[in-house]
Amino acid sequence: MNTFFKRIFNFIKQHPVRYIGSLILMMVSSVAVIYPARIIGQVVDQIVKGTLTAEWLIAQLVVLVGVIAVAYAAESAWTYMIFIGYYEIQQDLRVKLLRNNLRKKIPFYAHFRTGDIITRSSEDVSTMGEVMGFGTYATLNSSFMLIVTISMMITTVSLPLTIAALIPMPILSYFVYKWGYEVEEEYSKAQAAVSELNNEVLEMIDGNYVVRAYGQEEAMIGAFREKTEVAMKKNIRVGELDSRFMPLAEFIAMLSFIIGISYGGYLVSQGVIQVGDVIAFQVYMSSIMWPIFLLGDILSTYKRGKVASSRIQELEVYDDGLERGGQSTLRRIESIEFKQFSFTYPGEEYPMLKEIDVKIGEGETLGIVGKTGSGKTTLLMQLLHQFPYNGQHISINGVPVVEYRENDVAHQIAYVPQEHILFSRSIRENMYFGKANVTDDEIWAALKLAAFDKDVRRMPEGLDTIVGEKGVSLSGGQKQRLSIARALLRNRECLILDDALSAVDAKTEREIIEHLQAERKEGINLIASHRLSAIRHANEIIVLSEGRIIERGTHEELLDQKGWYYEQYNIQELEEIGRA
């Protein structure tokens, strides 16, 4: 079954009572809406025959009012029930996509750009809402209306007249079918253009400072205008295709009216039907015009929905290639081991990490240093399983990481990345991401460990200070310290700091390191840094170069080796003396 229709049917199956009730009420309202045409025909016949009486007319009027009331109540009820689906499917899809997106790792985000994900999770989801709202309403309403109306035309008026009046309909069906595929193709292009547009907007916002610093405002505006025009033209093309349906439907409807009047008059002249039948038939024809006019909108809605469903499906089924499915329980981390571990980025030819051998246990700190591009961050990212292992193994407590339940591993690790991710909320709320249901005293204690408590106390709103989008109101060092405090509040057995002290001064760095040494005597700490002062206390330090370990040992042992570490240490010491 087509994934689009499968998605619709699965949603309907989740709410059987509502949709069954809607169908029943829809049938009632369709019959009630059409039935007055029969009464009108009978009234005309009574007038033509000269047999109309006041009592009979009043009785028919009472019936007519009752039928109209039933039609109003039934249609109001089932329309309300159907349009609930407009909102519910959007809620379901958005929650499902968010859960899916949060679970995926780096390969997923390398494949889909942020603007594209936003477009698929917003506009495409809204399109699916249109399908379950207006699309379902119009499809069911027009279908039942056509079935009931044509049945009444055949059974109460004339089968030959009905067939004759409907002769032009295949012409409409052909063009609706033909144009429908064009709508699907062009709408897919239009949505891709909108995704690209959103990508550009996000990049311009993120790179706002750089754009202004290089004086590229007009150039960026010009490039953006071009992409906007592309998106506009593609959407105009979709609108042009949509605009074809209604005029054609009106033309076909007029043909059907002309045929109905002409052939109906002929049948009256031949005594086959009565004048009232012709009048009733024209009322019936008026009733089927609504479904005919809707046909183009229905097809356009479903074609758009098919495209939207396909784009959403791509997010849902994309495989980031990561090994999952481990069922072992991890209660605590006693040791972490990389054994002959190598790693090659997807799509790359040469490995980034080569035969890494290192083991760290409880109460130990591992320092990772090396020049830019040596593989420090890559090594830490693989402990976090951000890329597929492809047969390589990292072990925790002697067991490959992939054999543990994914959430168990994540629960035991606190991580501070190079790029500090802060949310546009207060300092307190950002700390809650480290650990929920904590007291202010616990928050202050974590801030003190990160040497950030004094800064916060000087802020007018204290813990309630809003840090702004991505922490824009904080300095680079403050962002780092807040991120460290959040990780320390998490208080996990394994702490990973990925060059997390690069923006703080030497004095603050020493203070933070001393706090870590005092507070994390039992934990496992992995610290990657360009500044050797941040890792000189480590139990073991490894020096990476082009993905290999070229030196290892304690601070003193590495100095004795007089290799890269020794040279870098002397350079940094001279720089410190110069700054002093």
Side-chain angles (χ1 to χ4, degrees):
M1 182 188 295
N2 184 289
T3 55
F4 168 60
F5 291 106
K6 185 177 180 180
R7 191 186 299 277
I8 292 175
F9 291 139
N10 285 340
F11 180 77
I12 291 174
K13 283 167 60 177
Q14 295 173 13
H15 310 279
V17 175
R18 182 199 304 159
Y19 284 97
I20 290 173
S22 297
L23 287 174
I24 294 172
L25 290 171
M26 197 181 309
M27 288 187 284
V28 172
S29 68
S30 297
V31 173
V33 166
I34 297 302
Y35 190 77
R38 182 59 182 163
I39 296 176
I40 292 171
Q42 291 175 342
V43 170
V44 171
D45 284 338
Q46 291 290 337
I47 293 173
V48 172
K49 293 176 182 178
T51 58
L52 182 65
T53 63
E55 292 80 6
W56 184 87
L57 181 60
I58 291 172
Q60 296 304 308
L61 289 175
V62 171
V63 172
L64 185 62
V65 171
V67 169
I68 292 173
V70 170
Y72 173 79
E75 185 152 352
S76 296
W78 79 260
T79 300
Y80 169 75
M81 294 167 70
I82 288 294
F83 272 92
I84 291 176
Y86 170 83
Y87 301 100
E88 282 193 341
I89 194 170
Q90 291 188 70
Q91 180 193 37
D92 292 349
L93 284 174
R94 287 194 171 107
V95 171
K96 186 177 180 180
L97 284 176
L98 180 61
R99 182 179 291 111
N100 172 79
N101 297 345
L102 288 175
R103 190 166 183 263
K104 295 293 175 66
K105 299 295 180 69
I106 289 178
F108 173 82
Y109 291 96
H111 183 79
F112 295 101
R113 296 178 67 184
T114 305
D116 189 24
I117 294 173
I118 291 173
T119 302
R120 294 171 191 249
S121 302
S122 55
E123 291 194 22
D124 288 326
V125 168
S126 295
T127 299
M128 287 303 301
E130 290 290 340
V131 170
M132 292 310 303
F134 172 77
T136 304
Y137 163 80
T139 300
L140 296 178
N141 189 22
S142 59
S143 298
F144 275 94
M145 188 68 72
L146 282 172
I147 292 171
V148 173
T149 303
I150 293 174
S151 298
M152 293 288 285
M153 291 163 68
I154 293 172
T155 57
T156 64
V157 181
S158 168
L159 175 59
L161 180 58
T162 302
I163 294 174
L166 296 179
I167 285 176
M169 295 305 167
I171 300 174
L172 177 62
S173 300
Y174 168 76
F175 282 102
V176 166
Y177 178 81
K178 180 178 182 296
W179 292 339
Y181 280 98
E182 292 185 49
V183 168
E184 181 179 339
E185 182 179 351
E186 294 300 325
Y187 184 70
S188 180
K189 294 177 182 178
Q191 287 300 91
V194 172
S195 292
E196 185 63 25
L197 201 61
N198 284 336
N199 285 326
E200 291 297 315
V201 171
L202 288 172
E203 285 192 352
M204 288 181 189
I205 292 174
D206 285 343
N208 177 46
Y209 296 143
V210 176
V211 171
R212 287 189 296 168
Y214 282 83
Q216 294 296 309
E217 294 92 335
E218 292 304 319
M220 295 299 290
I221 290 172
F224 183 71
R225 182 181 291 111
E226 290 179 5
K227 292 183 180 294
T228 303
E229 288 177 357
V230 170
M232 178 187 70
K233 289 177 180 178
K234 292 184 182 300
N235 279 283
I236 287 176
R237 173 60 177 163
V238 175
E240 186 269 325
L241 290 170
D242 284 342
S243 67
R244 296 178 181 181
F245 293 109
M246 184 63 74
L248 180 61
E250 291 176 348
F251 175 73
I252 296 298
M254 290 304 103
L255 284 181
S256 294
F257 266 113
I258 292 171
I259 293 172
I261 288 287
S262 302
Y263 189 50
Y266 171 77
L267 293 178
V268 170
S269 67
Q270 296 298 309
V272 177
I273 60 175
Q274 300 179 34
V275 175
D277 292 329
V278 176
I279 300 300
F281 190 84
Q282 294 306 308
V283 177
Y284 290 140
M285 286 297 297
S286 298
S287 297
I288 68 172
M289 290 304 102
W290 164 249
I292 291 174
F293 292 158
L294 277 181
L295 189 58
D297 290 336
I298 293 171
L299 188 67
S300 177
T301 298
Y302 278 100
K303 288 299 183 181
R304 291 168 185 253
K306 185 178 178 182
V307 171
S309 179
S310 175
R311 285 164 55 83
I312 292 170
Q313 183 79 0
E314 289 176 7
L315 290 182
E316 295 173 328
V317 303
Y318 184 82
D319 184 11
D320 56 16
L322 269 74
E323 301 85 350
R324 291 186 173 92
Q327 295 300 314
S328 298
T329 301
L330 178 64
R331 301 191 184 281
R332 59 179 302 178
I333 297 179
E334 298 173 357
S335 67
I336 297 172
E337 182 177 12
F338 294 79
K339 190 172 184 179
Q340 289 294 295
F341 184 82
S342 298
F343 168 72
T344 303
Y345 279 108
E348 296 292 329
E349 184 177 354
Y350 301 103
M352 184 64 193
L353 297 175
K354 305 163 189 175
E355 301 177 346
I356 301 296
D357 270 309
V358 65
K359 185 175 183 179
I360 179 173
E362 288 181 288
E364 294 181 346
T365 296
L366 174 69
I368 307 170
V369 295
K371 62 183 180 180
T372 300
S374 60
K376 301 186 296 298
T377 295
T378 301
L379 183 65
L380 297 177
M381 294 294 277
Q382 281 305 87
L383 175 56
L384 297 167
H385 199 186
Q386 291 295 319
F387 290 95
Y389 287 138
N390 295 324
Q392 301 289 312
H393 292 294
I394 297 174
S395 299
I396 294 180
N397 303 342
V399 178
V401 170
V402 294
E403 295 187 16
Y404 290 113
R405 290 185 297 191
E406 188 175 3
N407 287 340
D408 282 6
V409 177
H411 184 72
Q412 300 295 337
I413 297 175
Y415 173 53
V416 183
Q418 281 183 322
E419 297 182 4
H420 304 285
I421 306 301
L422 299 177
F423 301 91
S424 184
R425 303 182 185 182
S426 68
I427 290 175
R428 177 186 283 106
E429 289 172 308
N430 271 278
M431 292 293 286
Y432 285 160
F433 279 92
K435 183 180 179 182
N437 301 319
V438 293
T439 64
D440 283 1
D441 288 341
E442 292 175 290
I443 292 176
W444 283 115
L447 291 172
K448 183 176 182 179
L449 290 176
F452 190 45
D453 58 318
K454 295 178 182 178
D455 296 59
V456 176
R457 293 186 190 280
R458 286 194 293 267
M459 295 177 184
E461 302 298 326
L463 292 177
D464 294 316
T465 301
I466 302 298
V467 302
E469 189 78 21
K470 297 183 180 180
V472 68
S473 65
L474 303 179
S475 69
Q478 289 175 327
K479 292 177 187 178
Q480 285 192 332
R481 285 179 284 160
L482 178 54
S483 297
I484 293 171
R486 183 171 59 190
L488 293 175
L489 182 64
R490 188 169 170 80
N491 193 27
R492 294 298 184 249
E493 294 183 359
C494 178
L495 173 66
I496 299 176
L497 301 181
D498 185 4
D499 205 16
L501 297 168
S502 59
V504 301
D505 58 73
K507 179 181 178 182
T508 304
E509 178 191 85
R510 285 195 297 272
E511 184 179 351
I512 295 173
I513 293 298
E514 289 172 1
H515 290 163
L516 290 178
Q517 288 179 277
E519 294 295 325
R520 293 195 52 80
K521 293 180 180 179
E522 304 299 324
I524 294 176
N525 308 301
L526 291 89
I527 305 175
S529 178
H530 283 93
R531 287 161 55 171
L532 305 186
S533 54
I535 49 85
R536 61 186 299 171
H537 69 286
N539 300 89
E540 182 178 28
I541 301 168
I542 60 174
V543 179
L544 295 178
S545 177
E546 297 183 353
R548 293 185 183 277
I549 298 177
I550 59 170
E551 299 176 33
R552 67 192 312 159
T554 63
H555 173 71
E556 289 76 15
E557 290 170 346
L558 289 172
L559 291 179
D560 291 339
Q561 293 177 25
K562 298 188 182 301
W564 181 92
Y565 186 91
Y566 174 79
E567 294 175 359
Q568 195 67 19
Y569 177 76
N570 286 333
I571 292 172
Q572 292 185 13
E573 283 294 298
L574 289 174
E575 289 176 350
E576 285 296 322
I577 293 173
R579 281 194 291 266

